[in-house]
Amino acid sequence: MVVTRERAVERPRPMRALGRELRSWPTVLMVLLCLTVGIPLTIALTPAQDLRILGQHISVGARTPDLSLEGPAGLVQIGNTQLDIPRIQVWGPLRPQLSLGPVQRNDDAAKVFDPEVSAQATAQAVEQLRTGFVNWYLLGAVGAVGTGLAIAALVGCARMLGILRRARGGEVTVADVWHRCSGTIGRMALVSVTVSVLAWGACGALAYTGTMRGLAQVGSLSDLVGASRVTPAPVGPTVTGFAGAVIGDSRAARVGGPPVANPEGDDVVCQRSADSLAGELATMVPGGVRNLACPSATIAQGLRGPQQRGETQVPPQVALLKQMPDLRYVVVAIGPNDVGWSDLITYCYGVETCDDNLTRGEFDYRMGAFDREYAALLQDLAELPSRPQVVVMTSYGAFPSETDPACPDARGPAYAVGLTQDKIDLLTDRNDQLNAVLRTGAEKYGFAVAQPDLRPLCSTGTDGMSPDLQGLSDGYAFHPTAIGSLRLAATVARLVD
């Protein structure tokens, strides 16, 4: 019975050997390498998982580890703009990261705005993201095992080399050392893999906990990624006596028309005409209308930021609006310059086909940038001191749906290839995409949307009046004529309260 008790308390030899191994300095060093080098290396080397969610290219993975104990998850836009997600703070090195490609506007993306399928599309998107992260994490687990084995092999080789170096006169061969160390190296590999897997599991648990805790406090996209918006400060003296104002680009300035009788401010440098949208609107709606539009204006350089016109710097149009306390309404005509519309038209005139992947990607990129800038502009307009009614004007089409390629305005200059029906369809489709963004943003803020219906080029008029748009033989092709400007004003006047 005594012998039995002694055998019962005696530890098996393999466990004693493993216990001794855990106390040896090479194994302690190996464990430290697994934790401080192996796990960060695994995170850095595990490739992100590429997904296509709601028509968008998205990659899921983790941020490159740093020396901090805690840090935020990350968001990378179009490969070069990295944002912190401050709401999601994660302890440990494993911090999730989403990488977004250029915004793609297609049928799949439109599902999120369709009330009939929005919930299902959103649920599918969340499930795809979850699956992508799980796949990345499992791939990382395999990488952690491989890294642990590599570190064990490295430390084991160093251990064998140390034994050989201490041997004298060739008394010990490599075969002898391997025979003596094979068991030790096996135990080291077991310890290394175990430590790596446990550490990877702990990192995953910390990442999951931090992500769930952060998402529980998120109610909007701004809550998630934060917001940084600087609104234009008021510029110039207070201006009264105007019921309305028009901001925008050359379409609203009405380049090519007769100059205003008594120019003020930047009327001359911005080529504002007497029969501009603002001028015609003043004859239809009681109260004066101030024209702040300027050719080549974009949201960033013109409406929300200053615009350089030759030697003159024109103040931000929104900044001037803030000095007009009596405003009842504001008309906005913006968009084509932001997406490089003139570049696109010129390109289509000059090449056999303009629907190539390069220009498609560039247009999608510009549309994504415009979407963000437009959101900031709408918020600025919603916060104007006088709380005026805002009317957003969509972009009119320049050509009819069925166009005769022999029409001079479609054929273009003698040296140009000209516009075919396919090219005109492409331009129409991209103009529709621009208008979809304009309408969606305006409706979100409860702003009115004016949709002008001008008679396009290459079409035959039935009212005996002059064309609504200037053609290629005029000074400012595709811009409104006097009649076109009148029609724009009529479209807006019907919406002004």
Side-chain angles (χ1 to χ4, degrees):
M1 294 298 296
V2 175
V3 173
T4 302
R5 282 196 300 269
E6 288 179 354
R7 288 181 178 177
V9 298
E10 182 180 359
R11 291 190 302 174
R13 183 172 300 175
M15 295 301 298
R16 290 203 306 269
L18 183 60
R20 287 197 303 271
E21 190 61 48
L22 288 172
R23 295 191 297 271
S24 67
W25 71 263
T27 301
V28 172
L29 174 63
M30 180 190 66
V31 169
L32 292 176
L33 287 175
C34 289
L35 297 176
T36 60
V37 176
I39 296 300
L41 188 63
T42 298
I43 295 172
L45 295 181
T46 302
Q49 299 296 296
D50 293 326
L51 307 173
R52 188 171 180 84
I53 300 176
L54 293 175
Q56 314 302 311
H57 295 289
I58 298 178
S59 298
V60 294
R63 303 186 73 162
T64 301
D66 55 32
L67 297 178
S68 61
L69 296 178
E70 182 185 22
L75 174 67
V76 178
Q77 288 182 289
I78 319 178
N80 54 13
T81 302
Q82 181 156 330
L83 305 173
D84 289 339
I85 303 181
R87 290 282 187 178
I88 300 180
Q89 295 289 328
V90 176
W91 281 93
L94 181 51
R95 297 156 196 177
Q97 177 169 278
L98 283 177
S99 298
L100 309 179
V103 175
Q104 305 291 324
R105 302 186 176 278
N106 47 41
D107 293 339
D108 289 336
K111 291 179 181 178
V112 75
F113 301 108
D114 186 345
E116 295 184 0
V117 298
S118 176
Q120 180 183 359
T122 302
Q124 290 176 349
V126 172
E127 179 61 22
Q128 285 180 275
L129 280 175
R130 187 194 68 80
T131 302
F133 273 119
V134 169
N135 290 341
W136 181 90
Y137 183 74
L138 294 178
L139 184 62
V142 175
V145 172
T147 303
L149 290 174
I151 292 175
L154 179 66
V155 176
C157 288
R159 199 167 186 175
M160 292 175 61
L161 289 174
I163 294 175
L164 287 172
R165 188 174 180 180
R166 290 193 300 270
R168 297 181 179 179
E171 297 175 358
V172 179
T173 65
V174 174
D176 293 335
V177 173
W178 172 252
H179 180 72
R180 290 170 51 186
C181 294
S182 58
T184 299
I185 293 175
R187 289 187 291 272
M188 290 176 63
L190 176 61
V191 171
S192 179
V193 169
T194 302
V195 168
S196 297
V197 170
L198 291 176
W200 188 251
C203 290
L206 291 172
Y208 177 82
T209 302
T211 300
M212 292 298 102
R213 183 174 60 245
L215 290 178
Q217 307 172 28
V218 170
S220 68
L221 185 60
S222 296
D223 288 341
L224 181 63
V225 300
S228 177
R229 187 181 70 91
V230 179
T231 185
V235 172
T238 301
V239 177
T240 59
F242 292 96
V246 174
I247 61 175
D249 51 32
S250 53
R251 298 168 299 160
R254 224 300 262 178
V255 291
V260 296
N262 299 303
E264 297 178 350
D266 298 309
D267 286 341
V268 175
V269 73
C270 287
Q271 301 173 266
R272 294 166 186 152
S273 299
D275 55 2
S276 65
L277 170 59
E280 300 292 356
L281 197 56
T283 66
M284 303 177 186
V285 181
V289 182
R290 190 182 185 192
N291 190 3
L292 299 176
C294 202
S296 302
T298 64
I299 294 177
Q301 299 181 31
L303 274 67
R304 302 192 71 242
Q307 180 183 358
Q308 197 68 34
R309 293 284 295 172
E311 307 251 337
T312 303
Q313 187 178 75
V314 181
Q317 297 174 33
V318 171
L320 297 174
L321 287 179
K322 292 183 175 181
Q323 292 295 77
M324 303 178 68
D326 300 334
L327 280 181
R328 291 193 295 107
Y329 64 92
V330 175
V331 183
V332 184
I334 200 67
N337 291 332
D338 295 80
V339 297
W341 200 253
S342 59
D343 295 341
L344 178 59
I345 291 179
T346 302
Y347 184 68
C348 285
Y349 269 112
V351 298
E352 292 291 341
T353 176
C354 52
D355 187 19
D356 54 78
N357 289 333
L358 179 62
T359 52
R360 180 189 296 273
E362 179 64 20
F363 180 77
D364 289 342
Y365 174 80
R366 292 182 183 184
M367 282 294 296
F370 171 69
D371 205 348
R372 294 189 294 273
E373 294 285 351
Y374 181 50
L377 171 65
L378 292 174
Q379 190 168 347
D380 288 338
L381 296 174
E383 295 172 354
L384 286 174
S386 62
R387 295 293 189 268
Q389 177 189 11
V390 177
V391 180
V392 176
M393 191 176 73
T394 59
S395 174
Y396 51 78
F399 293 95
S401 56
E402 297 293 334
T403 306
D404 183 3
C407 167
D409 290 314
R411 190 172 63 248
Y415 56 83
V417 176
L419 299 181
T420 62
Q421 187 61 52
D422 287 342
K423 294 179 181 179
I424 292 173
D425 291 344
L426 172 68
L427 293 172
T428 301
D429 176 69
R430 292 187 176 173
N431 190 57
D432 290 344
Q433 293 182 49
L434 173 62
N435 285 336
V437 174
L438 291 170
R439 280 192 298 269
T440 300
E443 291 167 357
K444 175 182 177 182
Y445 280 85
F447 297 161
V449 178
Q451 303 181 63
D453 185 19
L454 303 190
R455 191 170 63 239
L457 300 172
C458 301
S459 62
T460 303
T462 59
D463 51 12
M465 302 180 71
S466 62
D468 291 353
L469 298 176
Q470 301 181 56
L472 295 181
S473 60
D474 300 312
Y476 299 93
F478 310 113
H479 288 79
T481 62
I483 295 298
S485 188
L486 183 63
R487 294 188 193 276
L488 292 179
T491 303
V492 172
R494 289 194 290 267
L495 299 173
V496 175
D497 296 335

